[in-house]
Amino acid sequence: MSNAAKMAHEAAIHEENIPDNKYDTLSLEASYVAQGQANRAQELKHALQTYQHLTLQPFGENDNIRLTALVTLRDESGTTKTFFIGPREGGLKLQLDGEEIMVITAASPLGSQLIGKSVGDDVELGGSCYEIVELC
């Protein structure tokens, strides 16, 4: 990501991209791309540092869901989905022992529903009702 930001920056300042007239915006557009990529690289760097220093919390079956919880939901047909509630960068899908785990944040729609609930409670996901069946 950092290399892409550097390349976009170089493109923005390259002599071939100097505007010929006020309607030539190639250099300006390249600078926007470079800035966006640099910002995203910084966000990812901060997220990585956050996860490197993250302390996983222990959970008992009667505890309420909070940050660092690994939560398994089951729908009426028996299909299960597992989620890890992380501090940043939700949306990442991981594989653990052949099971898919989706990283979500407490600020996400599902995360905000889960925070404070416990095993046996219900949540809605994609128009379906799921029961919280496991918390670790």
Side-chain angles (χ1 to χ4, degrees):
M1 184 67 83
S2 295
N3 287 340
K6 287 177 187 174
M7 288 174 55
H9 174 74
E10 289 170 9
I13 61 172
H14 193 275
E15 66 184 39
E16 290 180 5
N17 289 333
I18 295 173
D20 294 330
N21 58 56
K22 67 180 183 177
Y23 301 108
D24 187 358
T25 61
L26 186 60
S27 177
L28 180 62
E29 292 166 6
S31 71
Y32 289 155
V33 169
Q35 186 61 52
Q37 289 176 327
N39 291 348
R40 185 65 182 138
Q42 275 300 105
E43 290 170 2
L44 291 173
K45 180 180 175 183
H46 290 300
L48 182 58
Q49 289 171 343
T50 299
Y51 277 100
Q52 288 172 334
H53 296 97
L54 185 64
T55 301
L56 298 177
Q57 304 297 314
F59 289 91
E61 197 167 298
N62 297 321
D63 287 341
N64 289 336
I65 297 170
R66 59 188 185 278
L67 194 64
T68 76
L70 188 63
V71 182
T72 301
L73 307 178
R74 182 176 56 219
D75 68 10
E76 292 114 14
S77 68
T79 302
T80 61
K81 296 180 184 241
T82 303
F83 300 90
F84 175 76
I85 303 178
R88 300 180 65 152
E89 299 302 319
L92 179 66
K93 291 181 183 178
L94 308 169
Q95 291 288 323
L96 179 64
D97 298 330
E99 181 180 3
E100 182 179 273
I101 298 172
M102 170 76 84
V103 177
I104 61 173
T105 65
S108 70
L110 178 59
S112 63
Q113 282 189 71
L114 289 171
I115 295 295
K117 294 203 174 181
S118 58
V119 172
D121 290 341
D122 293 330
V123 294
E124 189 175 318
L125 174 62
S128 297
C129 186
Y130 285 81
E131 179 185 0
I132 301 167
V133 293
E134 189 175 2
L135 171 63
C136 6

